[in-house]
Amino acid sequence: MTLADIEPLTQDEFLGGRLRVWQPRRGYRAGVDPVLLAASVTASAGQSVLELGCGVGVASLCLAARVPGLTLTGVEMQADYAELARRNALENDLPLTVVASDLRQLPHDLRQKRFSHVMMNPPYFNRQAGTASEDIGRDTALGGDTPLADWVDTGARRLAPKGYIWVIQRMERLPETLALLDGRLGSVVVRPIAGRDGRSPERFLLCARQEGRAAFQIAPTLIMHEGPSHQGDTESYTADMRKVLRNGASLPIRP
């Protein structure tokens, strides 16, 4: 029995309809963040990309739609979500190999591989400091029981020499993330993400490089919406955001 047999699904459009993705109607549902993560990755044809915690495959498939010729692998602990990721890749005719595994216990063959890029959207909330959701899929995606240190460690170990790691995370976890990278990966660039101009950033995109030697950088804040506040039901994304979300444009985070 699969998730589709026990949980209603919706088929949602991403990248202005270029992707149609099945995901559970309830529980964790992919939104803007995996699209932003994929847009930030500077992969090129012929390179390999590993996504840790790929869910139903949105980030990997957005990246595949923008950059043809990649070798993409996704790891997802929840077998039902992994199966949906495989289905989404097949139905969108995009190359994505999905491995159902705990990222702390990767299969032997995957532990032997190194990747040009590793991207991840780790759970935003510290399980030790929060309350579990009643929905297992949502709880795993937003809190989970895998410490952020394990995500970073696994990602760093899978990087090829001079490879890049890409992360999207909540702003309050930036100090923790930087501490985990210290002495291990370099050339760190952080791009804060704010809902509107003048508001404090709530999330950040981060890039770091194996063997990187460049100084730490803070890139200009990415502003999601126009205007000082939400105005009714009209879409208020900035022009740059619309290019990313609707047209599949890239989103460089390095100045």
Side-chain angles (χ1 to χ4, degrees), residues 121-143:
N121 181 7
Y124 281 164
F125 301 102
N126 187 337
R127 167 55 62 239
Q128 304 305 315
T131 301
S133 168
E134 293 182 359
D135 183 274
I136 295 175
R138 180 177 177 81
D139 180 68
T140 301
L142 297 182

PDB file of all heavy atoms in Angstrom, residues 121-143:
ATOM      1  N   ASN A 121      17.285  21.036   2.294  1.00  0.00           N
ATOM      2  CA  ASN A 121      16.306  21.887   2.974  1.00  0.00           C
ATOM      3  C   ASN A 121      15.979  21.186   4.293  1.00  0.00           C
ATOM      4  O   ASN A 121      14.923  20.576   4.442  1.00  0.00           O
ATOM      5  CB  ASN A 121      15.065  22.039   2.085  1.00  0.00           C
ATOM      6  CG  ASN A 121      14.004  22.931   2.685  1.00  0.00           C
ATOM      7  OD1 ASN A 121      14.207  23.557   3.717  1.00  0.00           O
ATOM      8  ND2 ASN A 121      12.845  22.973   2.037  1.00  0.00           N
ATOM      9  N   PRO A 122      16.906  21.246   5.262  1.00  0.00           N
ATOM     10  CA  PRO A 122      16.712  20.484   6.502  1.00  0.00           C
ATOM     11  C   PRO A 122      15.496  20.971   7.279  1.00  0.00           C
ATOM     12  O   PRO A 122      15.035  22.105   7.072  1.00  0.00           O
ATOM     13  CB  PRO A 122      18.003  20.762   7.301  1.00  0.00           C
ATOM     14  CG  PRO A 122      18.972  21.302   6.306  1.00  0.00           C
ATOM     15  CD  PRO A 122      18.155  22.004   5.274  1.00  0.00           C
ATOM     16  N   PRO A 123      14.947  20.143   8.170  1.00  0.00           N
ATOM     17  CA  PRO A 123      13.843  20.593   9.012  1.00  0.00           C
ATOM     18  C   PRO A 123      14.183  21.920   9.688  1.00  0.00           C
ATOM     19  O   PRO A 123      15.294  22.112  10.186  1.00  0.00           O
ATOM     20  CB  PRO A 123      13.701  19.458  10.028  1.00  0.00           C
ATOM     21  CG  PRO A 123      14.173  18.248   9.285  1.00  0.00           C
ATOM     22  CD  PRO A 123      15.307  18.739   8.430  1.00  0.00           C
ATOM     23  N   TYR A 124      13.219  22.823   9.688  1.00  0.00           N
ATOM     24  CA  TYR A 124      13.472  24.173  10.175  1.00  0.00           C
ATOM     25  C   TYR A 124      13.531  24.269  11.695  1.00  0.00           C
ATOM     26  O   TYR A 124      14.141  25.171  12.242  1.00  0.00           O
ATOM     27  CB  TYR A 124      12.382  25.114   9.664  1.00  0.00           C
ATOM     28  CG  TYR A 124      12.562  25.543   8.230  1.00  0.00           C
ATOM     29  CD1 TYR A 124      11.522  26.104   7.524  1.00  0.00           C
ATOM     30  CD2 TYR A 124      13.780  25.387   7.575  1.00  0.00           C
ATOM     31  CE1 TYR A 124      11.681  26.515   6.205  1.00  0.00           C
ATOM     32  CE2 TYR A 124      13.953  25.775   6.265  1.00  0.00           C
ATOM     33  CZ  TYR A 124      12.899  26.352   5.585  1.00  0.00           C
ATOM     34  OH  TYR A 124      13.063  26.748   4.280  1.00  0.00           O
ATOM     35  N   PHE A 125      12.863  23.334  12.375  1.00  0.00           N
ATOM     36  CA  PHE A 125      12.718  23.489  13.817  1.00  0.00           C
ATOM     37  C   PHE A 125      13.505  22.421  14.567  1.00  0.00           C
ATOM     38  O   PHE A 125      13.543  21.260  14.167  1.00  0.00           O
ATOM     39  CB  PHE A 125      11.244  23.435  14.210  1.00  0.00           C
ATOM     40  CG  PHE A 125      10.433  24.498  13.526  1.00  0.00           C
ATOM     41  CD1 PHE A 125       9.638  24.189  12.435  1.00  0.00           C
ATOM     42  CD2 PHE A 125      10.503  25.815  13.946  1.00  0.00           C
ATOM     43  CE1 PHE A 125       8.901  25.166  11.780  1.00  0.00           C
ATOM     44  CE2 PHE A 125       9.777  26.813  13.297  1.00  0.00           C
ATOM     45  CZ  PHE A 125       8.972  26.481  12.216  1.00  0.00           C
ATOM     46  N   ASN A 126      14.122  22.831  15.640  1.00  0.00           N
ATOM     47  CA  ASN A 126      14.885  21.930  16.495  1.00  0.00           C
ATOM     48  C   ASN A 126      13.918  21.033  17.251  1.00  0.00           C
ATOM     49  O   ASN A 126      13.119  21.510  18.049  1.00  0.00           O
ATOM     50  CB  ASN A 126      15.737  22.749  17.473  1.00  0.00           C
ATOM     51  CG  ASN A 126      16.685  21.883  18.279  1.00  0.00           C
ATOM     52  OD1 ASN A 126      16.463  20.688  18.446  1.00  0.00           O
ATOM     53  ND2 ASN A 126      17.739  22.491  18.778  1.00  0.00           N
ATOM     54  N   ARG A 127      13.989  19.728  17.010  1.00  0.00           N
ATOM     55  CA  ARG A 127      13.063  18.803  17.654  1.00  0.00           C
ATOM     56  C   ARG A 127      13.096  18.901  19.173  1.00  0.00           C
ATOM     57  O   ARG A 127      12.092  18.756  19.846  1.00  0.00           O
ATOM     58  CB  ARG A 127      13.389  17.359  17.217  1.00  0.00           C
ATOM     59  CG  ARG A 127      12.742  16.250  18.008  1.00  0.00           C
ATOM     60  CD  ARG A 127      11.196  16.340  18.107  1.00  0.00           C
ATOM     61  NE  ARG A 127      10.561  16.255  16.828  1.00  0.00           N
ATOM     62  CZ  ARG A 127       9.782  17.209  16.341  1.00  0.00           C
ATOM     63  NH1 ARG A 127       9.544  18.313  17.018  1.00  0.00           N
ATOM     64  NH2 ARG A 127       9.218  17.063  15.165  1.00  0.00           N
ATOM     65  N   GLN A 128      14.280  19.204  19.740  1.00  0.00           N
ATOM     66  CA  GLN A 128      14.407  19.282  21.188  1.00  0.00           C
ATOM     67  C   GLN A 128      13.715  20.505  21.764  1.00  0.00           C
ATOM     68  O   GLN A 128      13.486  20.585  22.961  1.00  0.00           O
ATOM     69  CB  GLN A 128      15.895  19.310  21.580  1.00  0.00           C
ATOM     70  CG  GLN A 128      16.691  18.135  21.040  1.00  0.00           C
ATOM     71  CD  GLN A 128      16.097  16.789  21.445  1.00  0.00           C
ATOM     72  OE1 GLN A 128      15.730  16.601  22.595  1.00  0.00           O
ATOM     73  NE2 GLN A 128      15.989  15.869  20.496  1.00  0.00           N
ATOM     74  N   ALA A 129      13.393  21.471  20.897  1.00  0.00           N
ATOM     75  CA  ALA A 129      12.818  22.723  21.397  1.00  0.00           C
ATOM     76  C   ALA A 129      11.385  22.935  20.940  1.00  0.00           C
ATOM     77  O   ALA A 129      10.820  23.998  21.139  1.00  0.00           O
ATOM     78  CB  ALA A 129      13.678  23.899  20.934  1.00  0.00           C
ATOM     79  N   GLY A 130      10.764  21.920  20.319  1.00  0.00           N
ATOM     80  CA  GLY A 130       9.428  22.104  19.786  1.00  0.00           C
ATOM     81  C   GLY A 130       8.497  20.962  20.124  1.00  0.00           C
ATOM     82  O   GLY A 130       8.855  20.007  20.807  1.00  0.00           O
ATOM     83  N   THR A 131       7.262  21.075  19.626  1.00  0.00           N
ATOM     84  CA  THR A 131       6.229  20.071  19.834  1.00  0.00           C
ATOM     85  C   THR A 131       5.966  19.342  18.524  1.00  0.00           C
ATOM     86  O   THR A 131       5.835  19.969  17.471  1.00  0.00           O
ATOM     87  CB  THR A 131       4.923  20.722  20.313  1.00  0.00           C
ATOM     88  OG1 THR A 131       5.192  21.427  21.532  1.00  0.00           O
ATOM     89  CG2 THR A 131       3.848  19.670  20.559  1.00  0.00           C
ATOM     90  N   ALA A 132       5.902  18.035  18.575  1.00  0.00           N
ATOM     91  CA  ALA A 132       5.704  17.241  17.368  1.00  0.00           C
ATOM     92  C   ALA A 132       4.330  17.482  16.768  1.00  0.00           C
ATOM     93  O   ALA A 132       3.341  17.679  17.471  1.00  0.00           O
ATOM     94  CB  ALA A 132       5.881  15.758  17.692  1.00  0.00           C
ATOM     95  N   SER A 133       4.277  17.455  15.415  1.00  0.00           N
ATOM     96  CA  SER A 133       3.013  17.537  14.710  1.00  0.00           C
ATOM     97  C   SER A 133       2.313  16.178  14.747  1.00  0.00           C
ATOM     98  O   SER A 133       2.963  15.134  14.808  1.00  0.00           O
ATOM     99  CB  SER A 133       3.254  17.963  13.260  1.00  0.00           C
ATOM    100  OG  SER A 133       2.096  17.804  12.474  1.00  0.00           O
ATOM    101  N   GLU A 134       0.988  16.200  14.697  1.00  0.00           N
ATOM    102  CA  GLU A 134       0.238  14.944  14.672  1.00  0.00           C
ATOM    103  C   GLU A 134       0.407  14.227  13.342  1.00  0.00           C
ATOM    104  O   GLU A 134       0.230  13.018  13.268  1.00  0.00           O
ATOM    105  CB  GLU A 134      -1.246  15.220  14.944  1.00  0.00           C
ATOM    106  CG  GLU A 134      -1.527  15.726  16.357  1.00  0.00           C
ATOM    107  CD  GLU A 134      -3.004  15.951  16.599  1.00  0.00           C
ATOM    108  OE1 GLU A 134      -3.795  15.731  15.651  1.00  0.00           O
ATOM    109  OE2 GLU A 134      -3.367  16.342  17.714  1.00  0.00           O
ATOM    110  N   ASP A 135       0.719  14.946  12.281  1.00  0.00           N
ATOM    111  CA  ASP A 135       0.937  14.344  10.976  1.00  0.00           C
ATOM    112  C   ASP A 135       2.395  13.928  10.867  1.00  0.00           C
ATOM    113  O   ASP A 135       3.301  14.754  10.971  1.00  0.00           O
ATOM    114  CB  ASP A 135       0.583  15.336   9.867  1.00  0.00           C
ATOM    115  CG  ASP A 135       0.720  14.715   8.492  1.00  0.00           C
ATOM    116  OD1 ASP A 135       1.847  14.736   7.955  1.00  0.00           O
ATOM    117  OD2 ASP A 135      -0.272  14.195   7.960  1.00  0.00           O
ATOM    118  N   ILE A 136       2.652  12.646  10.644  1.00  0.00           N
ATOM    119  CA  ILE A 136       4.013  12.127  10.648  1.00  0.00           C
ATOM    120  C   ILE A 136       4.855  12.756   9.540  1.00  0.00           C
ATOM    121  O   ILE A 136       6.005  13.148   9.747  1.00  0.00           O
ATOM    122  CB  ILE A 136       4.008  10.592  10.498  1.00  0.00           C
ATOM    123  CG1 ILE A 136       3.350   9.955  11.735  1.00  0.00           C
ATOM    124  CG2 ILE A 136       5.430  10.063  10.322  1.00  0.00           C
ATOM    125  CD1 ILE A 136       3.194   8.454  11.631  1.00  0.00           C
ATOM    126  N   GLY A 137       4.286  12.861   8.335  1.00  0.00           N
ATOM    127  CA  GLY A 137       5.043  13.430   7.229  1.00  0.00           C
ATOM    128  C   GLY A 137       5.425  14.871   7.493  1.00  0.00           C
ATOM    129  O   GLY A 137       6.561  15.285   7.248  1.00  0.00           O
ATOM    130  N   ARG A 138       4.488  15.654   8.002  1.00  0.00           N
ATOM    131  CA  ARG A 138       4.774  17.057   8.303  1.00  0.00           C
ATOM    132  C   ARG A 138       5.774  17.180   9.442  1.00  0.00           C
ATOM    133  O   ARG A 138       6.683  18.001   9.402  1.00  0.00           O
ATOM    134  CB  ARG A 138       3.471  17.777   8.661  1.00  0.00           C
ATOM    135  CG  ARG A 138       3.667  19.255   8.987  1.00  0.00           C
ATOM    136  CD  ARG A 138       2.330  19.927   9.265  1.00  0.00           C
ATOM    137  NE  ARG A 138       2.513  21.322   9.637  1.00  0.00           N
ATOM    138  CZ  ARG A 138       2.696  22.314   8.798  1.00  0.00           C
ATOM    139  NH1 ARG A 138       2.726  22.069   7.495  1.00  0.00           N
ATOM    140  NH2 ARG A 138       2.863  23.556   9.197  1.00  0.00           N
ATOM    141  N   ASP A 139       5.620  16.332  10.453  1.00  0.00           N
ATOM    142  CA  ASP A 139       6.525  16.390  11.603  1.00  0.00           C
ATOM    143  C   ASP A 139       7.957  16.072  11.177  1.00  0.00           C
ATOM    144  O   ASP A 139       8.905  16.742  11.586  1.00  0.00           O
ATOM    145  CB  ASP A 139       6.077  15.414  12.681  1.00  0.00           C
ATOM    146  CG  ASP A 139       6.993  15.434  13.898  1.00  0.00           C
ATOM    147  OD1 ASP A 139       6.992  16.457  14.606  1.00  0.00           O
ATOM    148  OD2 ASP A 139       7.709  14.450  14.113  1.00  0.00           O
ATOM    149  N   THR A 140       8.122  15.064  10.346  1.00  0.00           N
ATOM    150  CA  THR A 140       9.462  14.692   9.886  1.00  0.00           C
ATOM    151  C   THR A 140      10.084  15.795   9.053  1.00  0.00           C
ATOM    152  O   THR A 140      11.271  16.102   9.182  1.00  0.00           O
ATOM    153  CB  THR A 140       9.402  13.388   9.076  1.00  0.00           C
ATOM    154  OG1 THR A 140       8.869  12.352   9.899  1.00  0.00           O
ATOM    155  CG2 THR A 140      10.781  12.985   8.591  1.00  0.00           C
ATOM    156  N   ALA A 141       9.279  16.425   8.191  1.00  0.00           N
ATOM    157  CA  ALA A 141       9.804  17.460   7.309  1.00  0.00           C
ATOM    158  C   ALA A 141      10.163  18.733   8.065  1.00  0.00           C
ATOM    159  O   ALA A 141      11.166  19.386   7.765  1.00  0.00           O
ATOM    160  CB  ALA A 141       8.784  17.782   6.217  1.00  0.00           C
ATOM    161  N   LEU A 142       9.356  19.110   9.058  1.00  0.00           N
ATOM    162  CA  LEU A 142       9.569  20.373   9.752  1.00  0.00           C
ATOM    163  C   LEU A 142      10.409  20.247  11.011  1.00  0.00           C
ATOM    164  O   LEU A 142      11.036  21.216  11.438  1.00  0.00           O
ATOM    165  CB  LEU A 142       8.214  21.003  10.104  1.00  0.00           C
ATOM    166  CG  LEU A 142       7.333  21.389   8.912  1.00  0.00           C
ATOM    167  CD1 LEU A 142       6.049  22.038   9.394  1.00  0.00           C
ATOM    168  CD2 LEU A 142       8.080  22.318   7.960  1.00  0.00           C
ATOM    169  N   GLY A 143      10.411  19.065  11.623  1.00  0.00           N
ATOM    170  CA  GLY A 143      11.190  18.884  12.837  1.00  0.00           C
ATOM    171  C   GLY A 143      12.126  17.705  12.735  1.00  0.00           C
ATOM    172  O   GLY A 143      13.334  17.834  12.861  1.00  0.00           O
TER     173      GLY A 143
END
